[in-house]
Amino acid sequence: MRSLPFIAAVTVASIWATVATSCKDDSNIETAEVMAGDVPTMMTRDVETLISDSGVTRYKINTPVWYMYDEVEEPYWRFPDGLNLVKFDNFFRTEATVDADSAIYYKRKQLWRLDGNVNISNVMNEKFLTQQLYWDQRSHKLYSDSFIHIERTDRVLEGYGFESNEQMTQYSIRKVSGIFPASEFKSKRGETPARTDSVAPADSTSHGGYSAAAGEMPE
């Protein structure tokens, strides 16, 4: 396995350390289109690297291929063959893990776009599955307009539109489509469980970091 060159690692570290303002809905973000004719300024294979911030290891990235397009009008990085990212706390304990079929990082906007089978786990061993997710490092939030499937120890939540903090411990679903007892789902590794016909009504209470607006269940 080859590690990312030191210069690139320092660049990534500065990105993760960025602190800024509020999260924007992805419909208002003018993300650049990835052009087939763009020529990468750097390509690294079999990347496994630890990323530090202020002397503390914060992230670990694993990816088969890392393309950097730094000389184009809208610089970006591309991970076409998948991305695995582990986020650590101050004591090098895992806070969250992220897997995606592909990913793009827009450097100026400091925005990740994760695509394909996006699978995230938090410290409470809750599972989050969706087809597209944005990670805004300026606001330290994750969000999506796509369908979201969340597996908790007590229940399974499904809906459309999602927002969370970086630790995936405080999150909300904008339009809930189903709340099911966890016993009704028999998950297989790497697969989204099949739905059942039993749907419990949404409520407006907060529970374990989750909140759902009342009156958003489809008829």
Side-chain angles (χ1 to χ4, degrees), residues 100-111:
D101 287 347
S102 64
I104 297 174
Y105 179 74
Y106 299 97
K107 293 180 62 178
R108 290 176 182 168
K109 296 179 175 69
Q110 298 177 3
L111 176 73

Side-chain angles (χ1 to χ4, degrees), residues 7-215:
I7 295 176
V10 171
T11 302
V12 177
S14 65
I15 291 171
W16 291 111
T18 302
V19 178
T21 55
S22 60
C23 178
K24 297 181 180 179
D25 184 84
D26 55 338
S27 62
N28 295 323
I29 295 178
E30 297 178 357
T31 53
E33 293 295 330
V34 176
M35 302 300 294
D38 289 351
V39 177
T41 53
M42 180 182 294
M43 186 274 284
T44 308
R45 294 187 181 275
D46 299 325
V47 178
E48 182 178 273
T49 185
L50 294 173
I51 300 170
S52 299
D53 175 24
S54 302
V56 178
T57 301
R58 296 294 188 186
Y59 302 92
K60 181 173 73 173
I61 287 180
N62 287 276
T63 184
V65 182
W66 186 331
Y67 291 100
M68 296 183 181
Y69 297 82
D70 292 333
E71 302 299 326
V72 297
E73 182 176 353
E74 180 66 39
Y76 63 93
W77 297 343
R78 190 163 67 93
F79 306 84
D81 295 336
L83 176 73
N84 170 262
L85 185 146
V86 180
K87 185 178 186 299
F88 302 110
D89 64 11
N90 291 336
F91 302 98
F92 202 61
R93 296 176 300 200
T94 300
E95 281 189 336
T97 61
V98 180
D99 287 285
D101 287 347
S102 64
I104 297 174
Y105 179 74
Y106 299 97
K107 293 180 62 178
R108 290 176 182 168
K109 296 179 175 69
Q110 298 177 3
L111 176 73
W112 285 90
R113 193 185 81 189
L114 308 170
D115 292 296
N117 294 304
V118 182
N119 190 330
I120 302 177
S121 300
N122 64 12
V123 70
M124 296 180 291
N125 202 32
E126 296 174 337
K127 311 294 184 184
F128 303 79
L129 300 106
T130 186
Q131 288 298 302
Q132 187 176 76
L133 190 71
Y134 288 85
W135 187 340
D136 189 334
Q137 293 175 338
R138 291 180 173 176
S139 61
H140 305 287
K141 292 185 180 296
L142 293 89
Y143 58 98
S144 174
D145 283 337
S146 301
F147 176 80
I148 183 79
H149 172 97
I150 303 173
E151 298 181 17
R152 297 160 50 113
T153 56
D154 59 339
R155 66 182 68 179
V156 172
L157 311 172
E158 293 184 342
Y160 296 85
F162 173 81
E163 184 172 322
S164 172
N165 63 351
E166 284 186 321
Q167 293 74 31
M168 304 294 285
T169 55
Q170 298 292 327
Y171 52 86
S172 62
I173 300 174
R174 288 197 293 272
K175 186 176 182 179
V176 177
S177 61
I179 302 176
F180 312 93
S183 59
E184 294 188 14
F185 285 80
K186 295 181 179 180
S187 304
K188 295 181 181 180
R189 181 175 296 180
E191 295 182 3
T192 301
R195 301 195 197 188
T196 70
D197 295 329
S198 174
V199 180
D203 55 52
S204 59
T205 61
S206 297
H207 178 68
Y210 157 75
S211 65

